[in-house]
Amino acid sequence: MNFGWSFFVTNIMLGVGLAMDAFSVSLANGLNEPCMRKIKVFAIAGTFAFFQALMPMLGWICVHTIAQHFKTFEMFIPWIALILLGFIGGKMLIEGIKNETDDPCLSKRLGLTALIMQGIATSIDALSVGFAIASYNLVSALFAALIIALVTFCICLPGVLIGRSAGTKLAGKAGILGGIILIGIGIEIFISGIF
């Protein structure tokens, strides 16, 4: 495979398109936890980048092995995203409503399990990118996944930072807004996936 300009531009654009949901969820995470440490900011962006790279590779593997079974699974992708993001967003919304304090640092912290669920929910639609890169050999597919991961990381990092900054200003209401954003993203993924 020739790593020309079109290869890089195509995969950068794929990365940008795939990272939009992850950016919104990163923003919601920053809103919900405005006092998060810098290491966690990088961990959130890194988690989304990892899953955005993993899913196209899994899709590529499916195309080269069990493509007929992937088509059956593909119809469940919007439902999975809706359930995962709706559950996490609903939980965040309820905790934001229950939170009576105006101290933003006392908000509920995002746990590892919830972060992994968010990573899966926002990247599961990237499985279909495996079909877009099906003509690539393994090295090219891995390189494309790396480009997608870097683009996602670069988009999600400012998302968390912007949310964290706004969350400090919104005090106790940030968790409510973050929950609404997550539920909205789940609904958007569901509607666009079904229709």
Side-chain angles (χ1 to χ4, degrees), residues 43-107:
I44 289 171
T47 300
F48 288 125
F50 170 77
F51 280 105
Q52 290 290 10
L54 176 67
M55 293 301 179
M57 284 308 302
L58 290 176
W60 184 88
I61 291 167
C62 286
V63 167
H64 291 273
T65 56
I66 53 170
Q68 66 277 11
H69 299 295
F70 179 74
K71 278 293 187 191
T72 304
F73 172 75
E74 198 171 20
M75 66 186 211
F76 294 108
I77 290 173
W79 290 97
I80 294 169
L82 177 67
I83 291 166
L84 291 176
L85 289 175
F87 174 74
I88 297 166
K91 191 173 173 195
M92 193 183 288
L93 183 62
I94 290 167
E95 288 166 359
I97 292 169
K98 286 182 180 177
N99 186 10
E100 298 296 327
T101 180
D102 284 336
D103 185 357
C105 294
L106 295 178
S107 63

Side-chain angles (χ1 to χ4, degrees), residues 157-189:
L157 189 63
V160 179
L161 293 172
I162 291 167
R164 191 174 73 157
S165 174
T168 304
K169 293 173 181 59
L170 291 173
K173 305 300 178 220
I176 296 169
L177 182 58
I180 291 170
I181 289 171
L182 288 184
I183 293 168
I185 294 166
I187 292 169
E188 183 271 327
I189 291 171

Side-chain angles (χ1 to χ4, degrees), residues 105-182:
C105 294
L106 295 178
S107 63
K108 180 84 171 149
R109 302 196 186 297
L110 176 70
L112 180 62
T113 304
L115 180 59
I116 290 171
M117 287 172 60
Q118 287 177 354
I120 293 169
T122 57
S123 66
I124 198 162
D125 59 334
L127 277 168
S128 59
V129 172
F131 286 100
I133 63 173
S135 63
Y136 293 178
N137 62 31
L138 178 60
V139 172
S140 299
L142 286 169
F143 201 66
L146 179 64
I147 292 170
I148 290 168
L150 288 172
V151 169
T152 301
F153 185 84
C154 291
I155 288 174
C156 290
L157 189 63
V160 179
L161 293 172
I162 291 167
R164 191 174 73 157
S165 174
T168 304
K169 293 173 181 59
L170 291 173
K173 305 300 178 220
I176 296 169
L177 182 58
I180 291 170
I181 289 171
L182 288 184

